[in-house]
Each structure stands twice: as C-alpha cells, then as structure tokens.
Amino acid sequence: MPYDCESDAANIQENLNCAHIGSVVVFLPEIDSTNNLVKTYLANGADEGLVVVAESQTGGRGRMGRVWHSPPEVGVYLSVLLKPPIEPDHLPHLTLLAGVAAVLTVNEFSHPPASLKWPNDVLIHGKKVCGLLCELTQNQGEPSGLIIGIGFNVNHLPDQFPEDLKNTATSLRVINSCLTDRLAVIRSFLMNLDREYQIYLKEGPRPMIEKWGLNTDLFGKKVAITRGPDITTGTAMRLDESGRLVLRRDDGHEETFDSGEVTLRMST
Ligand code: BTN
C-alpha cells in the first residue's frame, strides 16, 4: 500500500513522543534522495529533528558512491537531521549510534536476530536488510548538521531486487514470509534513534559501544578491510572507545580502523 503522505506524516508526528526527533515530519511521493532534501532544508535553517520520508527515490545514494535501489511501496527511505553539540571528531559515534537504533528496529520485526557489520550495515543471515548513509554538512558560513539517511528493505520479494543485489540483499518479507507495516518500522526507528541519542548526550559513547558489540557477530571472525587500494586481513576483535574497529592482523599486530569496507573471509 502506498503512503498517504499527508495523513501518514501527521500520524507519525503525533505518535512519536521523542525529545529531539520529529519536530517536523515530511512525506513525499518521490524525491531524488531524502539526504539531499534534508541538506537543502538545513541550508534554509531547518531545526534539529526534521524527518523526510519518501515513497521512492530516483537517485538514492549508498555508501562508497553506490546507488541505493529505492522502488515505491516496498522499502523505507528516510533521513533525519541532527545537530549534536559535540566535537567533529566524535561524529563517527553518531554513525554507530544510528546503526544500533537500526538493528534494534530490525529485531523488533524479525525473529532471526539481525547483526551489525561495521560500521553500520544491518544483516540477517549475512544479507543486508538495512543500510545507513550519514553525512555531515559543515560548509563555511552555512548551518552545520548531521544527516542520517537510512534505507530498510521491508516488503521486497526476492525478484524485486536488481540482479547484482540478489545474493547480498534481503528483506523483512523474505525473512518472515509476511508483509510488515512500513509506518511501524519508521516509528520504531525514530523512537530508537531518539532514545539512543538522548543516552549518548547524557552518558557519552560507552553505552552505545557496548550495545553495538552486543548486536554484532563480527568479533572473532576473519575479515578483510578495504580502504581505497589497501586491503588488510585479520580477525575483527572489538570496537575501541572511539568506535574504531580493532583488527588483529594476520601478522599478529593490532591495527585500528576508522573507515573501510569489511568483508568476511571464509574461515580456514
Ligand atoms: C548503504 O548501505 O550503502 C547506505 C544506504 C543508505 C540509503 C538511504 S535511503 C534514504 C537516504 N537517502 C539516500 O539517498 N540514501 C539514504
């Protein structure tokens, strides 16, 4: 069922009960990218908590310059504007925090538990059900803010994924063999994000880093981390206090990563 943009926006906004998120909620039938629209609203003075949801995106963007396939009626595509009162070096915490909110949301709708892959992909049975693109806007003379963009694969059937994603993507419908109410997913994510954000602002990163660790099965696994042309192999150990991934390299030394693409290696 498609969104009824006006009444769904009102319904979400009225039933959120959040401290920071949902000050304004906008639903649109189509947009290039919800992250782009939030950036435009930010440049025009939008406040923290703005939420933009789209039925479909014509230019949905993923991490590493990838495209986020965004057809109507099956996925959730939304972006949230935050203005965290923290130093720019601490912003990676918010990326991890958004991942924690996302995995908690997916787990409300899926029985096999979802698992985080660093920094914030959400996987079920090793396939991606949700991805996050967090972008910081910090141009001289413009308002700065953090845009948290998230895409959930909710009601896709297997053949609704493009050929190149068929082996790596899944949806709640594939997992549960039934439809899930997209508005319930949106409400859950916004409330989880708001709660985790409040805890972070009060208590710092430790609770979030602990929750991240409780919702991953990455630690102890053999992985490869790709950063540009460099590939480092080893065993994923833990997140450090800054949220960086600690890898015990195959040569036995530990190295921490603040960015990169993690791929699981078959254990030998
Ligand atoms: C990834 O895993 O590569 C990140 C995907 C992020 C997709 C979402 S959908 C809503 C928001 N708008 C975008 O253009 N991208 C994010």
Side-chain angles (χ1 to χ4, degrees), residues 118-244:
W118 188 83
N120 55 18
D121 285 344
V122 181
L123 310 180
I124 303 179
H125 298 322
K127 292 187 173 186
K128 188 151 156 175
V129 68
C130 160
L132 280 142
L133 177 67
C134 298
E135 297 183 293
L136 178 66
T137 302
Q138 234 186 353
N139 297 332
Q140 195 78 42
E142 281 182 23
S144 65
L146 177 71
I147 297 156
I148 297 181
I150 186 160
F152 290 96
N153 298 332
V154 181
N155 288 323
H156 302 59
L157 288 167
D159 63 7
Q160 286 174 301
F161 288 111
E163 214 46 54
D164 58 329
L165 295 183
K166 283 200 167 124
N167 291 327
T168 53
T170 191
S171 70
L172 291 175
R173 185 169 184 184
V174 171
I175 297 295
N176 297 328
S177 308
C178 64
L179 292 167
T180 297
D181 176 3
R182 290 184 298 160
L183 291 182
V185 173
I186 293 171
R187 198 173 295 117
S188 158
F189 175 69
L190 296 177
M191 289 174 59
N192 283 329
L193 183 64
D194 190 77
R195 188 193 56 248
E196 297 306 319
Y197 185 48
Q198 285 186 63
I199 296 173
Y200 175 76
L201 293 178
K202 274 203 204 103
E203 300 179 31
R206 190 179 291 258
M208 174 275 290
I209 287 173
E210 273 171 24
K211 280 184 208 169
W212 201 100
L214 290 173
N215 285 284
T216 188
D217 58 11
L218 194 63
F219 301 152
K221 296 244 166 81
K222 287 184 181 292
V223 297
I225 302 185
T226 309
R227 262 191 319 188
D230 300 326
I231 301 180
T232 314
T233 55
T235 305
M237 301 304 289
R238 62 187 178 278
L239 298 190
D240 73 6
E241 65 292 347
S242 303
R244 293 174 298 199

Side-chain angles (χ1 to χ4, degrees), residues 63-64 66 117-119 121 224-227 259-263:
R63 289 177 64 235
M64 316 271 178
R66 289 191 279 250
K117 180 167 81 90
W118 188 83
D121 285 344
I225 302 185
T226 309
R227 262 191 319 188
S259 65
E261 180 77 355
V262 174
T263 322

Side-chain angles (χ1 to χ4, degrees), residues 33-35 57 60-63 68 78 121 128 131-132 149-151:
S33 151
T34 55
N35 272 30
Q57 298 184 116
R61 294 185 289 110
R63 289 177 64 235
W68 188 259
L78 73 81
D121 285 344
K128 188 151 156 175
L132 280 142
I150 186 160

Side-chain angles (χ1 to χ4, degrees), residues 12 88 101-102 106 134 197 218 228 251 256 260:
I12 291 285
V106 170
C134 298
Y197 185 48
L218 194 63
D251 66 11
T256 52

